[in-house]
Every structure is written in structure tokens, then in C-alpha cells.
Amino acid sequence: MNRHVPPHVAAAEAREADGLGCTDVTPIKQRGQHEVFCGLTSIIWLHRKVQDAFFLIVGSRTCAHLMQSAAGVMIFAEPRFGTAIIDDRDLSGMADMNEELDKVVARLIARRPDIRMLVLVGSCPSEVIKLDLGRAAMKLNERFAPDLRVLSYSGSGIETTFTQGEDNFLQAVIGGTPRAAPDAPRQLLIAGCLADVIEDQFTRIFHGLGIENVHFLPARHAEGVPPIGPNTTVLMAQPYLTETAKMLEKKGARVLTAPFPLGEEGTTAWLRAAADAFDVPADRFAAITDAGRERARKAVSLYRDRLAGKRVFFFPDSQMEPSLARFLSREVDAEILEVGTPYLNKNHMAPDLALLPSSVRLAEGQDVDKQIDRVRADDPDLIICGMGLGNPFEAEGRTTKWSIEFAFTPIQGYEQAGDLAELFARPLGRRDLLQVEV
Ligand code: SF4
């Protein structure tokens, strides 16, 4: 009897057979118009994470409006980010701008002595680009150290997409971190911003595995990042930290590659990479992870009916797309049509790409018009895209999910695997309800 094989299952079987998945697929390289938030946006999660830091955006009113409307928290209590607005009068001379920045910082520090890390964040206006924020940070450091550490990085939309803001911030953080002594004890450094609750879950798992010396980058406090050197094994928690990883390697750290910790499979493979590096025995690994794996599988299974066989198209946005697509393909049997990503680091993404079907179209960079044409030709069941594209697609009767929600929602680890599946299932459920009501 002939077996009926749905296309997504056939693709998965082909992937199993060749063992390489998407690894050797040549991505479509695009250099057209981008539809992605700038690197300032990452401040929305970074300012919550580093509790004694203040992010001072040196920018225009546009930057201030973006941050206020995107974060929506400026009206509450004492915020931990703000904008030093560069006005027209500042155009008259750089000396004025440096003085102006000094005054803003002095006022801020006098009013907020609890701040331990001040982060100057550059933006796109040409007046700001001309300002040497690195030098400004150095001079402020001379003035305020050791009570206050001043860093700088660029979140400009010309240079960065929104997750690259975090990559730049972390480079600034570790740039000033001392080198570990040759006899420093071995340590595991988890690189990439995670919600506190997820950090706590992972910490408990690592301790259960016998890996006691665990640190997170960024740390919750300015002083929380340990000296880094050959004693440091790095496990990347986010896929968009290419430059941070390079800098950690330059400091002598060993950076592991693994699928990113999304879903049961991704989380297990990610934890196993650390366990292998620290020689954790297989039975101990199973004893610590089996219950979490089971809970994650059960939670995800609640959404499988809604997601299995659904044809999904990812626009480039956060660089998390290959890992998200791998989760959808492997754990709920969705069919992935295209995976767009602003930048594709084939080394970091290799374990995730190997688990994707070779039928997936990979696209690096963006040419939004061409991608819209491909969406219309593919007619997917679900489109993962930026806010600017979501509403027009919905108006065409298509179902969309805002990709930025995957960056803002805690989705890593076993306990969040069900929430991750639910994020994809929700718009499909909404569409079904609307169709019933019509
Ligand atoms: Fe706009 Fe540039 Fe400011 Fe971002 S940094 S809000 S892209 S002006």
C-alpha cells in the first residue's frame, strides 16, 4: 500500500536521511530595504536586566519617541533609561554638545546616586555620529570612577538591527572586564540576556549537574561579570551575539556551539553541550533533565494539533529565526517555507540549521519587496514579521505574528516551551475564531 506522506513529514525524513538539514543550503543574500527596529530597542530588555545601570540615549526626539512608545514605562517612578536630546542649537558646535552631555550626566548622577553603570548609547542623527561617545565615556569615567562605570556603544539604526544593540552593549561590558588569573577556577558563562526567572531555572539545573561556578552576561548588577580568560567556557543563550563571542574568544574563553535553548529538544541539546564540556556523566544528566523534558513535551503537545502541517514564513528580524523555525519544524511538525534572518552566522547557527529540513529557503539580509512577493506566491498559513508588515498582511486576509514578541517574551528553557508554542498558535486560533464568527 502506498503511504501518504505530507510534505513536511517528507522533508523531515529527507533531513534525517542526509543528516545535514539546512547546513549546506545557500541563503538568498539580500541588500534591499530593511523593515527592522534599530539597536536602541534592545534597551527595553537590557534596562530591566541590569538593575543598577542607566541607559542614556544620545539622540533626537525621534529616538525619545521610539523608546517611550515602544517601552511604555516612562511615566512610572524612576525610569532607568532616558534620552539626552540633541537640539538644533547643538548643531552650532561640538564643544557645546560635549558640555551639554557633561551637564546632563552630572545632573543625572546627582539625582540618582544609586546608578553604578552609565551607558551612553549613540544613535543615527549626523550630529551624534560626529560626537565621539567613546571618548566622552572615557572622560566621564576619569571623573566618576570608581563609584560609577561609564560605557558607550552604538544603537544607531544605520549600523544595527534591534538585537545587535545587545551585541554592542555586551562588547562594551566585557571590553572593560579584567582577564582571569591563570589559576582561576573553571567557570561557565551564559552569554545573552535571559529573563531573571529563566536564569534562576537554568542556575538550578547547572547546579544539579554539578556545575557550580555559573555566571550570566549581562549580569544583574554592574559588578556581576567575572574576569574572563581560558578558565571560561561560554554557552551562548542568544543567537545574535556574533561580535560578543569573538571578543570572548579573544580573551581566551572557549565558546560552545549548540542549538539555542528553545523547546524541549533545543534546551536539552544546549544543556548537554555544557554538560559534555564539564564531563557530566550521562546518568546524572538524565536524572536532572528528564522531568523538565517531560513537562516541556507535554506543554508543547497541547498546541500540536493547531500547528502541525501549518506552512510558516519568517521575515528577517531578530536573528532568532532559524532556532524558532527549528522548534516549529521538529517539535510541532510545522512546515517551514522560508527563514529570513538579518545576518546569518553559519557557525553559531550550524546546530540549528542541521535540524531544519533541506527544503527550507534561507534568506540573509532583507529586500522587503521581494520577500512580500514570495509570501504572496507561497500563501503561507502563518507569517512571522515586523509590526510594519503585520497590519497590511492581515488586511490581505493573512495570519501574522509580530516577531518582536519572541524577543520580549521569556521563551527559553523547559518551563517556557509551552508558552513558545502558544505564541505561534495564538494568531491561528484567533483566525479560526474570526472565521467562525463571520
Ligand atoms: Fe530612529 Fe536612528 Fe533614533 Fe533609532 S537611532 S530611533 S533609527 S533616529
Side-chain angles (χ1 to χ4, degrees):
M1 195 174 75
N2 281 343
R3 186 169 71 110
H4 169 69
V5 184
H8 64 286
V9 176
E13 287 178 353
R15 171 191 67 218
E16 299 290 337
D18 65 21
L20 290 172
C22 236
T23 312
D24 291 335
V25 172
T26 306
I28 307 166
K29 297 249 185 193
Q30 308 209 298
R31 293 286 173 263
Q33 191 183 333
H34 278 59
E35 300 271 331
V36 184
F37 279 123
C38 66
L40 294 190
T41 326
S42 59
I43 294 170
I44 294 168
W45 63 85
L46 292 173
H47 90 279
R48 288 196 197 118
K49 185 78 222 170
V50 191
Q51 290 160 18
D52 51 5
F54 191 99
F55 292 81
L56 183 65
I57 301 158
V58 184
S60 63
R61 286 184 199 283
T62 310
C63 309
H65 287 148
L66 169 86
M67 291 306 295
Q68 287 184 32
S69 52
V73 296
M74 296 294 280
I75 52 170
F76 298 118
E78 286 282 24
R80 277 190 282 106
F81 62 86
T83 311
I85 292 172
I86 305 302
D87 275 324
D88 287 348
R89 68 186 176 83
D90 298 320
L91 297 177
S92 54
M94 283 300 120
D96 288 352
M97 268 179 55
N98 281 306
E99 271 171 35
E100 190 64 24
L101 187 60
D102 281 357
K103 272 191 225 156
V104 170
V105 169
R107 271 202 305 270
L108 178 67
I109 301 308
R111 200 165 57 80
R112 302 283 300 275
D114 53 312
I115 297 170
R116 291 283 165 270
M117 179 193 280
L118 176 67
V119 191
L120 306 177
V121 190
S123 60
C124 317
S126 51
E127 307 79 50
V128 177
I129 292 172
K130 281 183 235 151
L131 186 63
D132 186 344
L133 279 187
R135 200 173 141 72
M138 207 172 71
K139 286 175 74 181
L140 288 166
N141 256 322
E142 283 164 11
R143 189 163 149 205
F144 292 106
D147 298 335
L148 178 73
R149 184 175 169 202
V150 186
L151 310 175
S152 72
Y153 73 89
S154 171
S156 152
I158 298 168
E159 297 160 63
T160 58
T161 60
F162 72 102
T163 47
Q164 283 176 306
E166 181 177 331
D167 197 12
N168 284 359
F169 169 63
L170 293 185
Q171 286 173 74
V173 170
I174 54 179
T177 304
R179 224 183 146 80
D183 58 348
R186 204 160 167 215
Q187 62 187 6
L188 177 64
L189 182 69
I190 310 298
C193 202
L194 292 169
D196 288 355
V197 62
I198 297 178
E199 266 188 30
D200 293 342
Q201 291 164 7
F202 283 147
T203 301
R204 279 195 293 276
I205 293 176
F206 287 125
H207 288 177
L209 294 173
I211 307 170
E212 293 292 338
N213 198 4
V214 183
H215 300 269
F216 290 85
L217 180 70
R220 294 184 198 184
H221 296 284
E223 298 304 320
V225 182
I228 293 163
N231 66 326
T232 310
T233 300
V234 179
L235 188 56
M236 308 297 289
Q238 299 290 2
Y240 43 77
L241 301 175
T242 295
E243 299 305 319
T244 300
K246 278 188 204 157
M247 192 179 252
L248 287 164
E249 279 176 330
K250 266 194 205 144
K251 284 178 169 273
R254 176 186 169 210
V255 177
L256 305 175
T257 53
F260 287 89
L262 300 178
E264 182 275 319
E265 183 186 43
T267 302
T268 304
W270 185 79
L271 291 169
R272 186 170 282 130
D276 289 348
F278 282 78
D279 300 320
V280 177
D283 55 345
R284 184 164 187 177
F285 185 81
I288 295 299
T289 58
D290 277 358
R293 296 181 70 174
E294 186 50 35
R295 282 195 300 277
R297 276 195 288 259
K298 222 167 164 178
V300 170
S301 70
L302 300 176
Y303 303 97
R304 186 169 291 113
D305 280 354
R306 198 174 287 287
L307 292 165
K310 290 292 187 294
R311 302 165 70 250
V312 185
F313 190 111
F314 282 84
F315 272 79
D317 208 60
S318 65
Q319 299 186 53
M320 297 165 81
E321 293 82 8
S323 311
L324 292 167
R326 181 263 302 153
F327 165 75
L328 275 184
S329 166
R330 301 274 296 185
E331 298 196 35
V332 292
D333 288 332
E335 185 187 346
I336 310 300
L337 301 172
E338 175 161 331
V339 178
T341 181
Y343 298 98
L344 182 64
N345 182 326
K346 276 211 154 188
N347 283 343
H348 286 186
M349 295 313 307
D352 276 310
L353 294 178
L355 295 170
L356 275 169
S358 54
S359 57
V360 168
R361 220 167 36 227
L362 283 179
E364 184 185 14
Q366 187 159 29
D367 188 326
V368 74
D369 291 329
K370 288 184 182 158
Q371 264 156 340
I372 291 170
D373 289 345
R374 292 203 294 276
V375 163
R376 291 188 176 136
D378 286 345
D379 194 20
D381 298 303
L382 180 63
I383 304 164
I384 317 298
C385 60
M387 291 178 177
L389 293 169
N391 285 349
F393 278 141
E394 291 280 339
E396 289 180 7
R398 303 181 195 282
T399 305
T400 64
K401 180 76 189 162
W402 287 348
S403 40
I404 201 162
E405 289 186 57
F406 296 97
F408 289 156
T409 310
I411 52 172
Q412 294 80 7
Y414 293 134
E415 313 309 328
Q416 286 64 237
D419 297 343
L420 173 58
E422 200 266 343
L423 280 178
F424 288 107
R426 199 183 304 164
L428 294 165
R430 187 185 62 217
R431 174 68 56 186
D432 288 350
L433 278 174
L434 289 173
Q435 277 169 356
V436 169
E437 281 169 10
V438 165

